[in-house]
């Protein structure tokens, strides 16, 4: 089973910081943001993380590549703790595929189809960090309880914020678990079926890849993962696990990136 991390975006909101450094490589506390997400994926039952990269963002690949010369130099100088960490990060099971055109999140996920194959897989969006690594196992548990169905994490948001997210419709079947019967990407507040927003962690059945090949461009002219999930509901059950804002740390804007640095530093 794989965990897919889309990482081909331009990082526009952080320019000019992201002109030469990919947004995913910006430091959060003591490591690049994407390292948290990779480690979260590998702490689940995924055996490999597949990063959907842009060809211009080589620094992400360098970060996860072995560097025996640097390790040897650090050991020579007695800096074994650094050497161990460089070695560990360079040996994580991470592979790369490429998204050559910015056609949307759904398209980015589809770029990993050859890697995910016939198995269910996770999608982890890098704008939100879950350093305690507990969300994916909780989603897997819900899936196991419902015959291997797809499960998405959702978070309650204020009415005026729903138009920034994918939003679910459904019914609560047990405390904190909803059976999903519709999804809509970035609806105006008055059209939102609930205020449960798609949070950026998905456990998906392989059928979604077929639907992503067929789905038409949606909001913003992009191939939306949310639209393919809505189509999947015609064929399969889907569940949503309600998570709390304190389960995740947003790094998607300058303000939230700074707040996340402070919060994680304070956590120690
Ligand atoms: C994406 C998804 C959206 C989801 C959001 C979570 O939107 O399309 O459904 O709610 O991530 O962060 P984006 O933030 O890429 O516009």
């Amino acid at each position: 089973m794989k965990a897919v991390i889309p990482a081909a975006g331009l990082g526009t909101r952080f320019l000019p910081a992201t002109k030469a450094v990919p947004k995913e490589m910006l430091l959060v506390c003591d490591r690049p943001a994407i390292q948290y997400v990779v480690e979260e994926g590998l702490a689940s039952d995924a055996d490999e993380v597949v990063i959907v990269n842009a060809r211009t963002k080589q620094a992400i690949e360098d970060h996860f590549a072995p560097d025996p010369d640097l390790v040897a130099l650090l050991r020579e100088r007695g800096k074994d703790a650094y050497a161990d960490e460089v070695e560990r990060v360079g040996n994580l099971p991470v592979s790369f595929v490429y998204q050559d055109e910015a056609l949307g999140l759904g398209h980015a996920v589809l770029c990993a189809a050859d890697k995910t194959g016939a198995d269910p897989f996770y999608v982890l969006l890098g704008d939100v960090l879950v350093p305690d690594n507990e969300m994916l196992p909780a989603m897997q548990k819900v899936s196991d309880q419902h015959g291997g169905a797809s499960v998405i994490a959702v978070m309650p948001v204020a009415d005026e914020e729903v138009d920034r997210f994918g939003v679910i419709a459904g019914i609560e079947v047990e405390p904190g678990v909803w059976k999903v019967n519709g999804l809509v990407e970035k609806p105006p507040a008055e059209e939102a079926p609930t205020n449960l927003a798609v949070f950026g962690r998905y456990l998906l059945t392989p059928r979604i890849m077929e639907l992503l090949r067929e789905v038409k461009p949606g909001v913003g002219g992009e191939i939306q993962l949310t639209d393919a999930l809505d189509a999947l509901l015609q064929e399969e059950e889907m569940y949503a696990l309600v998570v709390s804002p304190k389960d995740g740390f947003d790094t998607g804007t300058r303000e939230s990136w700074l707040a996340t640095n402070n919060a994680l530093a304070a956590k120690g």
Side-chain angles (χ1 to χ4, degrees), residues 199-222:
F199 169 86
R201 294 293 180 273
Y202 310 74
L203 168 54
L204 302 175
T205 60
R207 175 72 182 139
I208 196 74
M209 290 298 193
E210 301 307 317
L211 296 170
L212 282 169
R213 284 181 222 280
E214 293 162 16
V215 78
K216 300 274 178 293
V219 174
E222 298 189 337

Side-chain angles (χ1 to χ4, degrees), residues 191-266:
E191 286 169 28
T194 63
N195 69 339
L196 292 174
V198 176
F199 169 86
R201 294 293 180 273
Y202 310 74
L203 168 54
L204 302 175
T205 60
R207 175 72 182 139
I208 196 74
M209 290 298 193
E210 301 307 317
L211 296 170
L212 282 169
R213 284 181 222 280
E214 293 162 16
V215 78
K216 300 274 178 293
V219 174
E222 298 189 337
I223 305 289
Q224 296 289 353
L225 179 57
T226 302
D227 294 343
L229 290 170
D230 191 53
L232 184 62
L233 286 171
Q234 305 301 315
E235 306 175 16
E236 297 180 7
E237 289 188 354
M238 186 184 303
Y239 291 83
L241 176 68
V242 182
V243 301
S244 129
K246 66 174 170 38
D247 296 330
F249 294 85
D250 187 27
T251 61
T253 63
R254 293 173 192 216
E255 295 74 21
S256 65
W257 175 82
L258 203 54
T260 292
N261 269 281
N262 288 331
L264 292 181

Side-chain angles (χ1 to χ4, degrees), residues 35-248:
Q35 191 181 321
Y36 288 91
V37 190
V38 165
E39 288 174 340
E40 180 193 352
L42 294 174
S44 74
D45 44 3
D47 55 6
E48 183 183 291
V49 167
V50 181
I51 296 180
V52 183
N53 201 10
R55 295 192 196 267
T56 50
K57 295 166 77 171
Q58 180 63 35
I60 300 179
E61 295 176 44
D62 293 345
H63 183 69
F64 292 106
D67 190 341
D69 292 346
L70 176 59
V71 170
L73 184 69
L74 289 166
R75 295 217 186 279
E76 232 173 78
R77 295 185 175 175
K79 297 185 187 300
D80 283 305
Y82 287 115
D84 291 347
E85 197 52 16
V86 170
E87 202 160 41
R88 185 182 72 80
V89 172
N91 286 321
L92 293 173
V94 176
S95 67
F96 292 87
V97 297
Y98 299 96
Q99 185 186 23
D100 287 322
E101 287 175 284
L103 297 179
L105 175 60
H107 175 258
V109 171
L110 181 57
C111 291
D114 286 348
K115 292 276 189 179
T116 57
D119 295 329
F121 59 96
Y122 295 108
V123 176
L124 284 64
L125 304 189
D127 272 354
V128 55
L129 310 182
V130 182
D132 71 10
N133 300 335
E134 284 173 7
M135 198 174 290
L136 301 181
M139 292 165 66
Q140 181 70 63
K141 197 170 152 204
V142 174
S143 177
D144 291 345
Q145 285 163 348
H146 295 280
S150 294
V151 177
I152 54 183
V154 295
M155 187 177 69
V157 298
D159 290 349
E160 59 274 18
E161 284 183 321
V162 288
D163 63 357
R164 290 173 35 206
F165 297 97
V167 174
I168 66 156
I171 47 162
E172 193 168 29
V173 289
E174 60 184 272
V177 178
W178 287 56
K179 186 167 188 294
V180 180
N181 59 32
L183 289 109
V184 49
E185 181 68 11
K186 303 191 171 73
E190 60 279 10
E191 286 169 28
T194 63
N195 69 339
L196 292 174
V198 176
F199 169 86
R201 294 293 180 273
Y202 310 74
L203 168 54
L204 302 175
T205 60
R207 175 72 182 139
I208 196 74
M209 290 298 193
E210 301 307 317
L211 296 170
L212 282 169
R213 284 181 222 280
E214 293 162 16
V215 78
K216 300 274 178 293
V219 174
E222 298 189 337
I223 305 289
Q224 296 289 353
L225 179 57
T226 302
D227 294 343
L229 290 170
D230 191 53
L232 184 62
L233 286 171
Q234 305 301 315
E235 306 175 16
E236 297 180 7
E237 289 188 354
M238 186 184 303
Y239 291 83
L241 176 68
V242 182
V243 301
S244 129
K246 66 174 170 38
D247 296 330

